[in-house]
């Protein structure tokens, strides 16, 4: 009668305990009371924004407090805010993924390493487990970078629309609402959320600064600071919008030129590693074969 090795048994226990937590992370839904409260708060706000479900329930918060350090939770929350807080990725689900994915990777890795216990396999298991632990943060960071680039690309056109609306006689918030209604990207979503914050009673300055901190886009943060200073010192908002729109168009052109200048440098490595060896083989291969045949005779 054979006995089960302790490592295989530990791996099986890790996988078996991680699967229920993974199922909870994928199937957990917010409570009905929270949804009803959120709907009551936004009932009369016709801002065209879909309110995302709250991030988790009491069980999720208990899991977060018990199994994850506060610094990790704060970092995930900051990354989720930069990524736009996707409805499919609430904070408890992200925390559960950081706990479940390494457990599954480690369990399966131990099962594989138990069959062939070599140093290379154990190092591979350790690397895969570490990568599985940071996968949620990498996904959020990538999503946040894409969203920040989209905001920077849309900012100049949005400011042009707001400038036209303000010069036509609308107020700044009305112009912001019109630009957000006409837009479809992440910048329009953030403007709608800012208008919603102002509508529920948040001070304008705090709502504008929250917009800058939430997105993490430097160009948008510069524009927000200009708007806050114009509001504090009584500067014409139309002049501020016109100046900022020109500056954003200039920055967008400079970024395009910078990317164009980086293309030759990025092409060098594929050229050296992939294209030139193939050309040398095709061009010099027959000559080398002929030389070898001549000397061998």
């Amino acid at each position: 009668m054979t006995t089960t090795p302790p490592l295989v048994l530990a791996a099986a226990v890790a996988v078996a305990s991680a699967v229920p937590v993974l199922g909870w992370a994928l199937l957990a839904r917010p409570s009905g009371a929270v949804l009803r409260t959120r709907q009551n708060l936004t009932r009369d706000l016709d801002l065209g924004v879909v309110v995302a479900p709250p991030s988790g329930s009491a069980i999720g918060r208990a899991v977060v407090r018990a199994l994850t350090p506060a610094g990790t939770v704060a970092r995930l929350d900051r990354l989720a805010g930069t990524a736009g807080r996707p409805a499919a990725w609430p904070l408890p689900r992200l925390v559960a993924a950081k706990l479940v994915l390494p457990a599954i990777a480690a369990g399966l890795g131990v099962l594989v390493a138990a069959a062939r216990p070599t140093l290379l396999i154990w190092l591979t298991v350790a690397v895969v487990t570490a990568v599985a632990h940071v996968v949620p943060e990498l996904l959020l960071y990538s999503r946040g970078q894409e969203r920040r680039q989209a905001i920077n690309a849309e900012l100049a056109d949005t400011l042009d629309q707001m400038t036209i609306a303000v010069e036509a006689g609308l107020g700044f918030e009305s112009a912001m609402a019109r630009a957000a209604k006409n837009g479809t990207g992440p910048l329009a979503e953030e403007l709608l959320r800012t208008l919603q914050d102002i509508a529920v009673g948040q001070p304008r300055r705090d709502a504008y600064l929250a917009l800058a901190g939430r997105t993490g886009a430097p160009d948008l943060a510069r524009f927000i600071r200009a708007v806050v200073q114009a509001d504090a010192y009584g500067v014409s908002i139309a002049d501020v919008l016109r100046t900022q729109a020109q500056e954003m168009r200039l920055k967008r052109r400079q970024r395009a030129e910078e990317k164009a200048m980086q293309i030759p440098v990025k092409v060098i490595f594929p050229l050296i590693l992939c294209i030139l060896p193939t050309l040398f083989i095709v061009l010099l291969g027959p000559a080398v074969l002929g030389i070898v045949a001549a000397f061998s005779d």
Side-chain angles (χ1 to χ4, degrees):
M1 182 176 179
T2 59
T3 59
T4 304
L7 290 177
V8 176
L9 182 60
V13 171
V15 174
S17 60
V19 169
V21 181
L22 179 61
W24 167 83
L26 296 176
L27 301 177
R29 293 291 184 271
S31 62
V34 175
L35 288 177
R36 288 193 297 271
T37 303
R38 183 66 63 87
Q39 291 173 359
N40 290 333
L41 288 174
T42 59
R43 180 177 301 169
D44 297 329
L45 298 177
D46 187 13
L47 297 175
V49 62
V50 178
V51 180
S55 57
S57 59
I59 298 177
R61 290 191 294 270
V63 172
V64 169
R65 288 193 299 267
L67 301 178
T68 309
T72 303
V73 177
R75 183 170 62 254
L76 285 174
D77 185 69
R78 183 175 63 255
L79 291 174
T82 306
R85 298 196 179 277
W89 299 350
L91 185 59
R93 187 171 298 176
L94 293 171
V95 174
K98 283 184 67 67
L99 297 174
V100 171
L101 293 178
I104 294 178
L108 296 178
V110 169
L111 291 177
V112 173
R116 299 179 59 185
T118 62
L119 179 60
L120 179 60
I121 292 180
W122 282 112
L123 291 177
T124 303
V125 171
V127 171
V128 171
T129 303
V131 171
H133 181 68
V134 299
V135 160
E137 298 181 16
L138 293 177
L139 292 176
L140 287 176
Y141 180 78
S142 177
R143 181 75 171 268
Q145 288 292 104
E146 294 176 358
R147 200 164 185 270
R148 189 179 296 114
Q149 292 176 0
I151 289 175
N152 289 332
E154 298 170 2
L155 186 57
D157 297 334
T158 302
L159 292 183
D160 287 334
Q161 297 180 22
M162 294 175 61
T163 302
I164 295 173
V166 169
E167 291 179 347
L170 293 180
F172 178 71
E173 294 179 10
S174 300
M176 185 187 300
R178 181 171 294 275
K181 183 179 180 180
N182 295 332
T184 57
L187 180 58
E189 297 174 359
E190 292 296 338
L191 293 179
L192 287 173
R193 180 176 176 181
T194 302
L195 292 172
Q196 184 182 22
D197 292 340
I198 296 174
V200 298
Q202 186 174 6
R204 289 180 174 82
R205 176 186 175 89
D206 295 342
Y208 296 155
L209 295 178
L211 169 63
R214 189 168 57 242
T215 57
D219 292 344
L220 182 58
R222 189 178 299 108
F223 165 68
I224 292 300
R225 287 195 297 268
V227 170
V228 170
Q229 291 178 357
D231 184 61
Y233 294 105
V235 181
S236 174
I237 193 65
D239 296 337
V240 173
L241 288 172
R242 191 181 305 106
T243 304
Q244 290 294 318
Q246 294 176 357
E247 182 178 353
M248 297 308 166
R249 283 195 298 270
L250 177 60
K251 286 185 174 295
R252 186 171 60 182
R253 188 181 306 111
Q254 290 175 349
R255 282 194 296 267
E257 294 175 354
E258 180 182 359
K259 290 182 179 180
M261 294 297 293
Q262 291 175 354
I263 291 177
V265 179
K266 294 180 179 179
V267 170
I268 289 177
F269 297 100
L271 181 64
I272 294 176
L273 298 177
C274 301
I275 300 177
L276 290 182
T278 305
L279 290 177
F280 289 152
I281 292 173
V282 173
L283 297 177
L284 301 180
V288 172
L289 293 177
I291 292 173
V292 172
F295 279 100
S296 61
D297 293 338

